[in-house]
């Protein structure tokens, strides 16, 4: 088994996973910011908290094999 090839594949998978998580977190932060800026309703705070908690839950890793299939 080629260790370098395995490490490269592992690094690529980790990179894809982190990129996916970063995109999810960025989207959640934009949504939270929009809600906070446009709503003066204190009842929106639980919704903002729920969005933040869901964003912090780790997503399923991206499977490169699934991404390459049309």
């Amino acid at each position: 088994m080629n260790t370098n090839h395995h490490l490269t594949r592992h690094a690529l998978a980790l990179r894809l996973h982190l990129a996916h998580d970063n995109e999810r977190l960025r989207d959640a932060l934009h949504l939270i910011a929009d809600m906070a800026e446009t709503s003066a309703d204190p009842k929106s705070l639980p919704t903002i908290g729920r969005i933040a908690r869901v964003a912090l839950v780790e997503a399923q890793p991206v499977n490169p094999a699934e991404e390459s299939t049309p």
Side-chain angles (χ1 to χ4, degrees):
M1 181 170 151
N2 185 344
T3 304
N4 288 337
H5 180 67
H6 175 71
L7 289 175
T8 303
R9 287 181 55 205
H10 179 70
L12 177 60
L14 183 59
R15 181 177 176 214
L16 289 172
H17 178 73
L18 291 174
H20 177 70
D21 275 353
N22 284 341
E23 183 178 339
R24 285 176 51 263
L25 291 171
R26 205 173 299 114
D27 289 344
L29 287 172
H30 283 291
L31 180 57
I32 289 168
D34 288 344
M35 288 178 71
E37 290 172 355
T38 60
S39 176
D41 183 7
K43 293 180 183 177
S44 66
L45 290 177
T47 302
I48 290 172
R50 199 169 21 261
I51 292 168
R53 283 190 300 278
V54 169
L56 292 173
V57 173
E58 186 175 344
Q60 292 295 321
V62 176
N63 185 345
E66 291 176 2
E67 293 244 328
S68 63
T69 56

